[in-house]
Structure formats: C-alpha cells, structure tokens
Amino acid sequence: MAKNNQPLSPHLSIYKWQITNTLSILHRFSGVLLFLAAIDFSIWLASIAMGENSYAVISGLSSNWLALVFWVAVSFSFFYHSLNGLRHLAWDFGKGFETHQVNYSGLIVVFLTLLLTSSFWFFLLTKYSF
Amino acid sequence: MNIVNRFLNLLCLSGFEHARDHWRSQRETAVILFILTFWFLYQLLFVLNSLDFIEVQTWATDPLNALIIVLTSLYMIYHAELGVQVIIEDYVSEKRSQLNLLYILRFFRICVVVTTLISMFFLVYEN
C-alpha cells in the first residue's frame, strides 16, 4: 500500500539504461558535488582573510592525492553541469525534445566535458607546479 | 519578484521560495553563474601567476575582484540550495524529515553566506 502520492517512476529495476537517463542522474550527482565545492570555496575565502597560516593549512589539506581526486571530480562536474545546464535551458524554451536531438546533444555534452576537463588540467598543471 | 526581493533571496534573508519563483530563480542564477564561474576560471588560468598567499590575497583584495568573488560565492550557494532542495523534495517523501533536511540545508547556506561576507569584508577593509 502506498503511503503517499509521490511518483515512483522510473522503476529502476526494470528501467532500460540509456544515455538520456544516465546524463540526467549525472546532472544531479554533479550538482551535489558542486554544492560541496561551493562550501569549500567559502572556507578558502575565510582562510585568505584569516592570514598566511590558515591559508597554508587549507592549501595543505588540498595537496594530497585524495584531494586531487576530489578536485578532478569537481572540475569534471563543473564542466558537465555547465554544459548540460545549457541543454536544460534549451529544453525550457521548448527546443530539442526529439529523441535523436536529446541523444545527439547528450553525446556532444559528454565529448565537450571530457575535452574541457582534460585541457583544463593540462593548462593548470603546466602553469602551476603542485 | 522585484529587485529588492531578489537581493534578499541572494543574501538568504527570505524564506523558501514559492515553486513558481523557485523555478525562475533557478534558471536566473544558472545564467548568472555561467558568466561568473567562467570569469573565475579565466582568472585561475590566465590572470593569477601562482597560488601563493601574497598573490592570491592581492588578487582577492582588488575591489572589483572582491565584488565578483562575493557575487560568485553567494550565487553558487543560492543555486546549490535551490538544486539540493529539489533533490530532497524528490527523494524524501516523509514530510517531517523532508522539512528537517531543508532546514539543515538552509543552515549550511547561512553559514556560507555569513562566512563569505565577513571574510571578504575584512579582506578588503584591512588591506
């Protein structure tokens, strides 16, 4: 018996995985990760305001491999969420709803995300020495 | 939704928005953030020469930079709250725990807003 009227769809156990629903849930995951990054951004700002020692502590926390994994994930999420957000904005204007269009725009977003994330890290690592 | 309301929303000085305003705010903040975050990316890649303390402090203390940094941080956490709110409302069906989670979310956002404003105020004021 259903306790409430919340919609249950999609029924994940029998749902066929496609590029559209994969990218849709990835939009949410990347959004949550960027939420954490936004909190971290304010901590970083506070560390700058509090002076050199606190800045060194916060920078030190970000210099191990676990933090690097986090920042690679954040940068990927950032580019993905930005590009997929453009897709969402197009949908809000009623454009691009045909099946071949959502599949095609989804593939473009994935391709551009990988391209931008890798070139971002290439530029970053050649510019700064960590 | 006039300009004063939007300003209050940005500073987290108003309650949770009506679904209609929520929808519109989410899209407005998205477009604004698209510009602000790519500005930040540009600064990181092409303006800053290192991430040393003095360099970063000088950069963040510049009044125009400071203003854009404050706006970026406030809009990021605003947009994030709107988004995570939808996720909570979608996946937590029990009304009581849904509301509790929304208050926890709001608490995080208030912390970020206060931290950002105080930090940037002292950063610009003291330098």
Side-chain angles (χ1 to χ4, degrees):
Chain A
M1 195 180 77
K3 269 202 314 207
N4 54 57
N5 296 323
Q6 294 258 110
L8 295 170
S9 169
H11 297 272
L12 289 178
S13 51
I14 54 159
Y15 195 86
K16 182 185 167 218
W17 280 84
Q18 306 146 82
I19 180 171
T20 39
N21 74 308
T22 311
L23 295 188
S24 174
I25 193 64
L26 197 57
H27 197 71
R28 292 203 155 177
F29 279 131
S30 58
V32 172
L33 202 60
L34 291 170
F35 168 64
L36 300 177
I39 295 174
D40 192 77
F41 185 69
S42 72
I43 296 173
W44 185 68
L45 291 180
S47 80
I48 301 171
M50 283 164 72
E52 196 153 11
N53 291 333
S54 15
Y55 185 78
V57 170
I58 296 296
S59 303
L61 285 177
S62 298
S63 58
N64 60 58
W65 67 270
L66 202 64
L68 194 67
V69 171
F70 175 73
W71 288 116
V72 170
V74 166
S75 62
F76 177 87
S77 301
F78 169 71
F79 289 118
Y80 176 72
H81 204 87
S82 304
L83 294 168
N84 205 46
L86 291 179
R87 233 168 134 227
H88 272 277
L89 287 175
W91 292 332
D92 291 336
F93 284 102
K95 303 247 187 289
F97 277 118
E98 297 298 324
T99 311
H100 70 276
Q101 290 174 323
V102 286
N103 288 337
Y104 190 58
S105 61
L107 278 175
I108 293 177
V109 163
V110 172
F111 173 74
L112 284 179
T113 303
L114 293 173
L115 185 74
L116 284 175
T117 310
S118 45
S119 29
F120 170 73
W121 281 96
F122 177 76
F123 272 116
L124 203 67
L125 291 174
T126 44
K127 188 171 173 188
Y128 305 107
S129 49
F130 288 108
Chain B
M1 281 273 282
N2 55 33
I3 193 94
V4 178
N5 277 335
R6 278 169 206 209
F7 188 64
L8 292 178
N9 283 336
L10 178 64
L11 289 174
C12 199
L13 290 174
S14 56
F16 291 112
E17 290 170 76
H18 183 281
R20 177 196 56 220
D21 299 333
H22 180 289
W23 191 90
R24 190 156 66 179
S25 298
Q26 195 171 29
R27 271 113 196 116
E28 278 178 5
T29 52
V31 173
I32 293 168
L33 271 177
F34 199 83
I35 302 162
L36 288 176
T37 48
F38 275 92
W39 172 86
F40 184 75
L41 209 63
Y42 175 78
Q43 301 288 311
L44 188 64
L45 288 176
F46 301 111
V47 175
L48 283 166
N49 292 313
S50 74
L51 290 176
D52 296 335
F53 177 71
I54 300 295
E55 169 109 26
V56 173
Q57 193 195 35
T58 314
W59 169 77
T61 308
D62 178 89
L64 184 64
N65 286 351
L67 180 69
I68 303 177
I69 291 169
V70 169
L71 287 178
T72 307
S73 185
L74 292 184
Y75 272 110
M76 275 203 296
I77 201 64
Y78 183 12
H79 185 78
E81 192 202 52
L82 292 172
V84 177
Q85 187 188 344
V86 173
I87 295 178
I88 291 172
E89 285 166 353
D90 277 358
Y91 299 136
V92 183
S93 53
E94 212 265 303
K95 286 293 169 207
R96 191 67 242 167
S97 33
Q98 190 186 87
L99 205 57
N100 286 340
L101 283 171
L102 288 180
Y103 286 136
I104 295 171
L105 177 65
R106 179 44 67 98
F107 171 75
F108 273 109
R109 182 172 165 211
I110 290 172
C111 291
V112 169
V113 170
V114 171
T115 309
T116 301
L117 290 177
I118 292 179
S119 307
M120 294 311 289
F121 173 77
F122 279 108
L123 200 59
V124 175
Y125 184 73
E126 283 185 351
N127 294 286

